[in-house]
Amino acid sequence: FRPEAVLRLGVRYINMIPLPDQNVVDLDAVLTAGPKIPAQLSQDLSEFMTRLVLPVSGADSTVTIQQALGTIAGGEAVGKPCVVLDIDAACEQPFGVDSPEMWTKLADLRNAKNLAFFSSLTAPTLEQFK
C-alpha cells in the first residue's frame, strides 16, 4: 500500500465527564456552555445534544464540539450519568505522505482540541481531573 497523499488530518477525543449522583444536576456547574432550558419549563432534563462547528482562528481547520447526556460505558462507574464531550479538530487539505508540515498541523490540531476541551468545562469540573 503506497498512498499518494493525505487528504484529511484530524484528532478526536471523546470524554465522559461523570455527573454527581443526584436527580437534578445543574449542567451550568459542569459546562461553560451547556443547554439552556426556559425558566417556564420543567428543569428535569432527560436528554440533550448540542453540536458546534467552529473555524480555528488563523488556520484552515475546524473544531467540532458535541455535548450530550449519556451514561458511562465501562469501569467501576458503569451506568452512572455523564456528559459526553466529543471534540474533533480537523483539517481537510492535501499533504504529501512524507510531509513534515503534516506533523506540525497535527500538533496544531491537538492544541485546538485542548483549547476546546478546557474552554468547555468549568473550573470546578476541571479540578476533578487533577
Side-chain angles (χ1 to χ4, degrees), residues 15-20 25 27 31 45-49 67-73 77-85:
N15 302 275
M16 295 184 166
I17 313 301
L19 294 173
V25 175
L27 290 175
L31 299 168
L45 182 66
S46 60
E47 293 182 36
F48 86 94
M49 181 174 187
Q67 301 172 341
L69 201 55
T71 56
I72 296 177
V78 68
K80 294 199 176 209
C82 69
V83 169
V84 178
L85 183 58

Side-chain angles (χ1 to χ4, degrees), residues 28-116:
D28 288 336
V30 177
L31 299 168
T32 58
K36 301 294 179 216
I37 303 171
Q40 299 82 358
L41 299 177
S42 168
Q43 300 300 298
D44 294 333
L45 182 66
S46 60
E47 293 182 36
F48 86 94
M49 181 174 187
T50 60
R51 183 174 191 265
L52 306 169
V53 180
L54 309 165
V56 175
S57 180
D60 53 353
S61 308
T62 59
V63 172
T64 302
I65 303 170
Q66 296 185 100
Q67 301 172 341
L69 201 55
T71 56
I72 296 177
E76 59 189 52
V78 68
K80 294 199 176 209
C82 69
V83 169
V84 178
L85 183 58
D86 180 347
I87 301 172
D88 179 55
C91 168
E92 293 194 24
Q93 76 179 58
F95 290 94
V97 293
D98 296 324
S99 167
E101 292 85 18
M102 176 175 59
W103 299 105
T104 301
K105 178 55 83 172
L106 274 173
D108 292 344
L109 292 173
R110 185 175 183 276
N111 289 336
K113 180 275 304 175
N114 285 342
L115 179 61

